[in-house]
Amino acid sequence: MKNAALLLLPLAVASCGYLGIPDGDVSGNILGTQPAGTIRLALRGVTLSGVQTPALDQGNLGTFNPEKRVYAISFPVTPEDGGYELFAYVDTNKNNRFDSGEKQTDTRNFVYSKNGAGDKSGKDVVNVKPGWTILNGGATGQNGTPFTNVNLNW
């Protein structure tokens, strides 16, 4: 029986993304004075001009460690090329989606490119390596998951 449980462990771990438990593609802390209310995370696609595309994924922060305000999310399984922003917000109307006017943290930005872009050197957002890249201001940062210590601030 013990051996059977050990054999099933890798399957259980591999299925975490399918069961709603984040893979930990991005993790960090939410810092600063937290406002009252239900805190949620939003990952949404953005165009280069900053116009929002439909929300891709939103997870309930309370699932993790609300006292320490730790979070972890998974990126979409089949992302589209483009820019994405991650932030926490107070879900004041309890609709499980970010709406304009709801208090939010600063955002952290990511770029996804299936095949890379430009010369694929990773030197800037026009020349990104394949996969996920975090942006630091307007400059490219680490390429490839997991992204750890990605803190959000109120």
Side-chain angles (χ1 to χ4, degrees):
M1 183 67 157
K2 189 182 212 181
N3 289 339
L6 289 175
L7 290 173
L8 293 175
L9 183 61
L11 178 60
V13 171
S15 67
C16 283
Y18 298 105
L19 299 176
I21 300 169
D23 294 331
D25 291 330
V26 183
S27 62
N29 297 293
I30 301 175
L31 307 173
T33 304
Q34 181 169 304
T38 302
I39 308 300
R40 298 186 64 80
L41 294 168
L43 176 67
R44 65 181 181 178
V46 294
T47 64
L48 293 177
S49 64
V51 177
Q52 179 181 348
T53 56
L56 300 171
D57 186 34
Q58 296 187 8
N60 189 336
L61 179 64
T63 306
F64 303 103
N65 192 335
E67 293 79 30
K68 292 188 178 180
R69 298 186 289 165
V70 173
Y71 77 90
I73 67 155
S74 299
F75 282 131
V77 176
T78 54
E80 294 184 24
D81 287 358
Y84 295 80
E85 63 181 4
L86 169 69
F87 58 93
Y89 66 98
V90 180
D91 190 11
T92 54
N93 61 11
K94 310 259 189 254
N95 68 351
N96 299 335
R97 300 187 77 74
F98 175 74
D99 294 304
S100 180
E102 291 179 319
K103 186 165 179 59
Q104 71 178 75
T105 62
D106 59 351
T107 60
R108 293 305 306 261
N109 296 295
F110 300 88
V111 172
Y112 177 78
S113 179
K114 181 177 181 179
N115 299 311
D119 65 15
K120 300 179 180 147
S121 65
K123 64 184 175 186
D124 55 37
V125 295
V126 180
N127 298 288
V128 293
K129 296 178 182 178
W132 288 97
T133 302
I134 191 168
L135 300 179
N136 297 318
T140 56
Q142 173 190 335
N143 175 260
T145 61
F147 299 100
T148 58
N149 297 316
V150 179
N151 297 328
L152 302 170
N153 296 288
W154 289 107

